[in-house]
Amino acid sequence: MEQRRRGSGWIGWLIFLLFILGPSILPPLARWLSQQTGLQIGTTELFITLIVLMVVISIGSSIFGALRRAGEGTGMPRMPEANDPFSSSSQQGDVFRLPSSTPEEVFRIPPPPPEPPRLPTSSTQLPGAPRFDPIIDPRILAFGLIGLMFIGLVFGVLFLLINP
């Protein structure tokens, strides 16, 4: 099962909040920054700057996460070296040893292969054709169409009676 990455959705939420709350927050913020810096800063320039800053932070976060995952390795559990069949240990001869068997097991006759499945004969009862139920019940469809015609008739009569 794949583990969910933590902390990867906050940039999207910030961009969402910027689009929702931006029109009410950015004009006062742009005026304040203009007063503090002495430069003319408009709402559009501030909006574009914030979007570019969020994209740069998102790309940096992705690169940092990829480097962190690469540093962690593959995440596969490592086998202990004591059980390694290719290591030089005293159990190396036991790895390639076959289990002992008796002569009866060696010269045993294999069982006959199983019989192939048989095709159904004419006397066998086959299942019927598949039955498909309609998506919309015909009674509900008929009732809806009659109701639609009734509403159309009522509006038609009202349109003729209330002629401007």
Side-chain angles (χ1 to χ4, degrees), residues 11-161:
I11 299 288
W13 281 107
L14 281 179
I15 292 174
F16 173 74
L17 289 175
L18 181 65
F19 276 106
I20 298 298
L21 301 175
S24 61
I25 292 176
L26 290 181
L29 183 62
R31 281 192 304 271
W32 180 78
L33 285 173
S34 294
Q35 290 174 355
Q36 296 299 320
T37 61
L39 300 172
Q40 186 63 27
I41 299 174
T43 306
T44 306
E45 291 88 9
L46 185 60
F47 185 77
I48 290 171
T49 303
L50 287 175
I51 291 292
V52 168
L53 183 66
M54 287 182 193
V55 167
V56 167
I57 290 173
S58 175
I59 290 171
S61 173
S62 298
I63 291 172
F64 179 72
L67 290 174
R68 187 182 65 229
R69 284 189 299 274
E72 290 174 357
T74 59
M76 298 289 290
R78 300 185 74 93
M79 296 294 290
E81 292 189 20
N83 294 339
D84 190 7
F86 300 107
S87 65
S88 58
S89 66
S90 62
Q91 298 176 355
Q92 186 173 6
D94 295 339
V95 174
F96 299 108
R97 184 178 302 174
L98 295 174
S100 61
S101 58
T102 60
E104 292 82 21
E105 292 175 353
V106 173
F107 298 110
R108 184 177 58 131
I109 299 173
E115 293 183 22
R118 296 181 183 171
L119 296 174
T121 61
S122 60
S123 64
T124 306
Q125 183 69 17
L126 294 176
R131 184 175 160 245
F132 297 103
D133 293 329
I135 296 174
I136 299 174
D137 189 16
R139 294 174 290 183
I140 295 174
L141 183 64
F143 183 74
L145 289 175
I146 291 171
L148 188 63
M149 287 188 293
F150 177 73
I151 290 173
L153 182 65
V154 167
F155 278 115
V157 168
L158 286 176
F159 182 72
L160 291 175
L161 292 178

